[in-house]
Amino acid sequence: MNARSHAIFPRVNRAGWFDTLRVLTAVVAPTVAKGIIIRRPTMERLAERQGFDTTAVEQMQRLKHKYGPAPLLLPIPLRPQLLILDTADVATVLQSSPEPFAAATAEKHAALAHFEPKNVLISSDSRRAKLRPGHEHALAAADRLHPNAMHFKNIVDEEFLQVLNLPRELDWPAFSQAWFRIIRRIVLGERARNDVTLTETLNELRGRANWAFAAPVDQHKLARFHEQVGRYLGNPEKHSLVNRFPRGDELAPENQVAQWLFAFDAAGIAVMRTLALLACHVSYWGKAVEEAIGGDLDRPFTRSCLLEILRLWPTTPAILRQLTRDIQSGDKVIARGTGVIIFVPFFHRDPALLYANRMEPSIWGQNDALPAAGLVPFSAGPVICPAHNLVPTIASLAVGTFLSAAEIVLLHPSLDVANLPGTLNHYGIRLKLTARRREK
């Protein structure tokens, strides 16, 4: 079959120049400005105050109404992009990755080259085939509960119970310090607990990665970071994630581990937001407390609450792909190398969903993704995030540690649970924690 003859998309529409400009200014620019690789506090505050995310979703809705649900080609000079507007096409793109929709896009290369240039996410298909199994094994991608889940729970409890000097107020700085101690211990082992310098170096590199093409790679700092990570790889600790990753310099393990350290940042953001939302929902709060006190490692309701937080405020707002070959659509040929954009908030906050702007944990069941509905907090298909089970587990355990120890009141911001905002700035969340009364 000719590479151009297979109609993946029966129809593709072409946006006008004015609409393309509006997408760039109302959707792409605010998303990038907030920080794709590491969040910028000032821009998060501005986005919350000005409603940038709500405006972006409304702009996408206007485009779909004007052009229809078919993918929309944005004729950006030198870098055309195909904007996905229909849930069926979301499923098609994700199920057809990495061929012909490669996950290793030019934009990802430019950003991730700053701290993990040999990572699986930006590898060729042949290289990916060698690297992906190591990630899946280390992160136990196929298992709802990681084999080391009890060990991870003990780490979470130890670290968060130390910050729970009740009563107290909890904000992002206090939470995140404990969170990153947890992540260093889980990923690298006990020796890394107080290695704040490693996290700081990674965050500096991530700050440069926010600029992607516009900033040169700091090769000196990159080498220093990989050296810092390498200290824990030579003699990995028994229950650490790095101990489960295959040995061999040809796998560039420092590059693979960097992604885990980076990605768990988003999980911490989700935990903080989940605590804020549960504090506003008495019925949800009660169910989550029952799970936390019950002690089971698998906590399906809390897990569903976390997935709802990731639906309402995706920590990966854009899923990017890139065509590996020309594809035919009607009388149009979409050229190899064209980018593909799935703007996740557009689908997660679709007004056609009765629960679009409120928290509704019941929609998830046992699922971590509902691609047919466009709900993909961890992506979906063959290149789904290999931590799609591990992250909800650790995050659920973290939520449970707080719920089992404290009553929580949301001090800031004030939220209308029937109409939640498009942006919830985690840097501004403040919680009041009071010791839970124990039954005698």
mmCIF file of all heavy atoms in Angstrom, residues 27 63 79 165 190 203 229-230 234 268 281 303 364 372 377 379 384 386 407 419 436 439:
data_model
loop_
_atom_site.group_PDB
_atom_site.id
_atom_site.type_symbol
_atom_site.label_atom_id
_atom_site.label_comp_id
_atom_site.label_asym_id
_atom_site.label_seq_id
_atom_site.Cartn_x
_atom_site.Cartn_y
_atom_site.Cartn_z
ATOM 1 N N VAL A 27 -3.925 30.009 22.928
ATOM 2 C CA VAL A 27 -3.795 28.621 23.383
ATOM 3 C C VAL A 27 -2.325 28.264 23.624
ATOM 4 O O VAL A 27 -1.936 27.872 24.733
ATOM 5 C CB VAL A 27 -4.423 27.636 22.372
ATOM 6 C CG1 VAL A 27 -4.265 26.198 22.864
ATOM 7 C CG2 VAL A 27 -5.901 27.962 22.139
ATOM 8 N N LEU A 63 -13.220 27.282 17.378
ATOM 9 C CA LEU A 63 -12.649 26.696 16.165
ATOM 10 C C LEU A 63 -13.441 25.469 15.717
ATOM 11 O O LEU A 63 -13.715 25.288 14.524
ATOM 12 C CB LEU A 63 -11.196 26.304 16.407
ATOM 13 C CG LEU A 63 -10.182 27.446 16.563
ATOM 14 C CD1 LEU A 63 -8.843 26.871 16.983
ATOM 15 C CD2 LEU A 63 -10.054 28.239 15.277
ATOM 16 N N ARG A 79 6.745 24.997 10.408
ATOM 17 C CA ARG A 79 6.342 24.024 11.417
ATOM 18 C C ARG A 79 4.815 23.896 11.475
ATOM 19 O O ARG A 79 4.180 24.245 12.479
ATOM 20 C CB ARG A 79 6.894 24.455 12.778
ATOM 21 C CG ARG A 79 6.803 23.372 13.861
ATOM 22 C CD ARG A 79 7.649 22.184 13.543
ATOM 23 N NE ARG A 79 7.527 21.150 14.572
ATOM 24 C CZ ARG A 79 7.377 19.866 14.313
ATOM 25 N NH1 ARG A 79 7.331 19.435 13.070
ATOM 26 N NH2 ARG A 79 7.285 18.990 15.291
ATOM 27 N N ASN A 165 3.259 18.923 62.153
ATOM 28 C CA ASN A 165 3.294 19.450 63.510
ATOM 29 C C ASN A 165 1.996 20.212 63.723
ATOM 30 O O ASN A 165 1.879 21.389 63.379
ATOM 31 C CB ASN A 165 4.501 20.372 63.699
ATOM 32 C CG ASN A 165 5.808 19.646 63.474
ATOM 33 O OD1 ASN A 165 5.979 18.527 63.951
ATOM 34 N ND2 ASN A 165 6.727 20.272 62.755
ATOM 35 N N GLU A 190 17.792 5.594 49.959
ATOM 36 C CA GLU A 190 17.888 6.351 51.207
ATOM 37 C C GLU A 190 19.041 7.353 51.197
ATOM 38 O O GLU A 190 18.950 8.429 51.790
ATOM 39 C CB GLU A 190 18.051 5.386 52.386
ATOM 40 C CG GLU A 190 16.886 4.428 52.577
ATOM 41 C CD GLU A 190 15.578 5.162 52.808
ATOM 42 O OE1 GLU A 190 15.580 6.187 53.519
ATOM 43 O OE2 GLU A 190 14.549 4.712 52.259
ATOM 44 N N ASN A 203 16.263 21.240 38.597
ATOM 45 C CA ASN A 203 15.314 22.337 38.390
ATOM 46 C C ASN A 203 15.914 23.475 37.573
ATOM 47 O O ASN A 203 15.221 24.121 36.778
ATOM 48 C CB ASN A 203 14.808 22.854 39.732
ATOM 49 C CG ASN A 203 13.850 21.884 40.407
ATOM 50 O OD1 ASN A 203 13.344 20.956 39.766
ATOM 51 N ND2 ASN A 203 13.601 22.086 41.690
ATOM 52 N N VAL A 229 23.427 12.004 39.554
ATOM 53 C CA VAL A 229 22.530 10.850 39.479
ATOM 54 C C VAL A 229 23.340 9.555 39.471
ATOM 55 O O VAL A 229 22.976 8.553 40.111
ATOM 56 C CB VAL A 229 21.630 10.924 38.230
ATOM 57 C CG1 VAL A 229 20.812 9.644 38.069
ATOM 58 C CG2 VAL A 229 20.698 12.128 38.302
ATOM 59 N N GLY A 230 24.462 9.586 38.753
ATOM 60 C CA GLY A 230 25.281 8.390 38.608
ATOM 61 C C GLY A 230 25.802 7.844 39.916
ATOM 62 O O GLY A 230 26.095 6.644 40.031
ATOM 63 N N GLY A 234 25.602 3.195 40.580
ATOM 64 C CA GLY A 234 26.669 2.201 40.651
ATOM 65 C C GLY A 234 26.387 1.092 41.654
ATOM 66 O O GLY A 234 26.685 -0.072 41.416
ATOM 67 N N GLY A 268 3.226 15.659 42.697
ATOM 68 C CA GLY A 268 3.119 16.456 43.909
ATOM 69 C C GLY A 268 2.102 17.573 43.761
ATOM 70 O O GLY A 268 1.325 17.857 44.691
ATOM 71 N N HIS A 281 -15.350 18.993 49.712
ATOM 72 C CA HIS A 281 -16.387 18.001 49.424
ATOM 73 C C HIS A 281 -16.529 17.061 50.616
ATOM 74 O O HIS A 281 -15.735 16.142 50.785
ATOM 75 C CB HIS A 281 -16.015 17.185 48.178
ATOM 76 C CG HIS A 281 -16.182 17.917 46.892
ATOM 77 N ND1 HIS A 281 -17.394 18.013 46.243
ATOM 78 C CD2 HIS A 281 -15.286 18.587 46.130
ATOM 79 C CE1 HIS A 281 -17.229 18.703 45.123
ATOM 80 N NE2 HIS A 281 -15.963 19.067 45.043
ATOM 81 N N ARG A 303 -7.706 7.227 44.354
ATOM 82 C CA ARG A 303 -7.096 7.206 43.023
ATOM 83 C C ARG A 303 -7.994 7.921 42.008
ATOM 84 O O ARG A 303 -7.518 8.724 41.192
ATOM 85 C CB ARG A 303 -6.867 5.757 42.617
ATOM 86 C CG ARG A 303 -6.110 5.543 41.312
ATOM 87 C CD ARG A 303 -6.081 4.055 40.999
ATOM 88 N NE ARG A 303 -5.297 3.733 39.824
ATOM 89 C CZ ARG A 303 -4.115 3.140 39.830
ATOM 90 N NH1 ARG A 303 -3.558 2.824 40.991
ATOM 91 N NH2 ARG A 303 -3.479 2.864 38.711
ATOM 92 N N TRP A 364 -14.321 7.283 36.544
ATOM 93 C CA TRP A 364 -13.095 6.567 36.214
ATOM 94 C C TRP A 364 -13.174 5.060 36.399
ATOM 95 O O TRP A 364 -12.565 4.313 35.642
ATOM 96 C CB TRP A 364 -11.922 7.137 37.029
ATOM 97 C CG TRP A 364 -11.612 8.528 36.613
ATOM 98 C CD1 TRP A 364 -12.003 9.680 37.236
ATOM 99 C CD2 TRP A 364 -10.907 8.936 35.438
ATOM 100 N NE1 TRP A 364 -11.568 10.785 36.527
ATOM 101 C CE2 TRP A 364 -10.898 10.343 35.422
ATOM 102 C CE3 TRP A 364 -10.281 8.243 34.410
ATOM 103 C CZ2 TRP A 364 -10.279 11.071 34.414
ATOM 104 C CZ3 TRP A 364 -9.662 8.966 33.398
ATOM 105 C CH2 TRP A 364 -9.665 10.359 33.403
ATOM 106 N N ALA A 372 -11.638 7.249 24.416
ATOM 107 C CA ALA A 372 -12.814 7.456 23.571
ATOM 108 C C ALA A 372 -13.568 8.718 23.967
ATOM 109 O O ALA A 372 -14.284 9.306 23.153
ATOM 110 C CB ALA A 372 -13.738 6.239 23.644
ATOM 111 N N PRO A 377 -5.266 11.608 31.158
ATOM 112 C CA PRO A 377 -4.290 12.265 32.039
ATOM 113 C C PRO A 377 -2.884 11.703 31.948
ATOM 114 O O PRO A 377 -1.916 12.404 32.246
ATOM 115 C CB PRO A 377 -4.892 12.043 33.439
ATOM 116 C CG PRO A 377 -5.826 10.898 33.289
ATOM 117 C CD PRO A 377 -6.365 10.997 31.897
ATOM 118 N N SER A 379 -1.862 10.081 28.995
ATOM 119 C CA SER A 379 -1.860 9.679 27.607
ATOM 120 C C SER A 379 -2.576 8.324 27.507
ATOM 121 O O SER A 379 -3.347 7.952 28.397
ATOM 122 C CB SER A 379 -0.445 9.634 27.035
ATOM 123 O OG SER A 379 -0.476 9.413 25.640
ATOM 124 N N ILE A 384 1.641 5.060 26.342
ATOM 125 C CA ILE A 384 1.114 5.603 27.587
ATOM 126 C C ILE A 384 2.246 5.746 28.597
ATOM 127 O O ILE A 384 3.226 4.986 28.573
ATOM 128 C CB ILE A 384 0.008 4.673 28.144
ATOM 129 C CG1 ILE A 384 -0.723 5.339 29.326
ATOM 130 C CG2 ILE A 384 0.571 3.320 28.531
ATOM 131 C CD1 ILE A 384 -1.943 4.571 29.792
ATOM 132 N N PRO A 386 4.589 5.080 31.328
ATOM 133 C CA PRO A 386 4.799 3.806 32.040
ATOM 134 C C PRO A 386 4.573 3.900 33.542
ATOM 135 O O PRO A 386 4.493 2.877 34.218
ATOM 136 C CB PRO A 386 6.251 3.451 31.707
ATOM 137 C CG PRO A 386 6.888 4.731 31.334
ATOM 138 C CD PRO A 386 5.822 5.569 30.702
ATOM 139 N N GLU A 407 -7.580 16.834 60.199
ATOM 140 C CA GLU A 407 -8.720 17.503 59.567
ATOM 141 C C GLU A 407 -8.138 18.655 58.750
ATOM 142 O O GLU A 407 -7.219 19.341 59.210
ATOM 143 C CB GLU A 407 -9.693 18.047 60.612
ATOM 144 C CG GLU A 407 -10.272 16.996 61.548
ATOM 145 C CD GLU A 407 -11.272 16.087 60.864
ATOM 146 O OE1 GLU A 407 -11.703 16.412 59.739
ATOM 147 O OE2 GLU A 407 -11.607 15.043 61.451
ATOM 148 N N ASN A 419 -18.545 25.018 39.955
ATOM 149 C CA ASN A 419 -17.998 25.647 38.749
ATOM 150 C C ASN A 419 -16.529 25.976 39.005
ATOM 151 O O ASN A 419 -16.155 27.124 39.213
ATOM 152 C CB ASN A 419 -18.780 26.908 38.385
ATOM 153 C CG ASN A 419 -18.356 27.492 37.057
ATOM 154 O OD1 ASN A 419 -17.874 26.786 36.168
ATOM 155 N ND2 ASN A 419 -18.504 28.796 36.913
ATOM 156 N N ARG A 436 -6.456 14.972 63.895
ATOM 157 C CA ARG A 436 -7.721 14.232 63.876
ATOM 158 C C ARG A 436 -7.989 13.627 65.241
ATOM 159 O O ARG A 436 -7.101 13.065 65.880
ATOM 160 C CB ARG A 436 -7.637 13.113 62.814
ATOM 161 C CG ARG A 436 -8.863 12.225 62.775
ATOM 162 C CD ARG A 436 -8.741 11.215 61.649
ATOM 163 N NE ARG A 436 -8.706 11.902 60.358
ATOM 164 C CZ ARG A 436 -9.782 12.429 59.769
ATOM 165 N NH1 ARG A 436 -10.954 12.352 60.367
ATOM 166 N NH2 ARG A 436 -9.676 13.026 58.623
ATOM 167 N N GLU A 439 -10.942 7.922 67.998
ATOM 168 C CA GLU A 439 -11.983 7.283 68.803
ATOM 169 C C GLU A 439 -11.334 6.394 69.860
ATOM 170 O O GLU A 439 -10.360 5.694 69.607
ATOM 171 C CB GLU A 439 -12.900 6.444 67.914
ATOM 172 C CG GLU A 439 -13.733 7.284 66.947
ATOM 173 C CD GLU A 439 -14.705 6.412 66.172
ATOM 174 O OE1 GLU A 439 -14.780 5.207 66.461
ATOM 175 O OE2 GLU A 439 -15.389 6.943 65.273
#
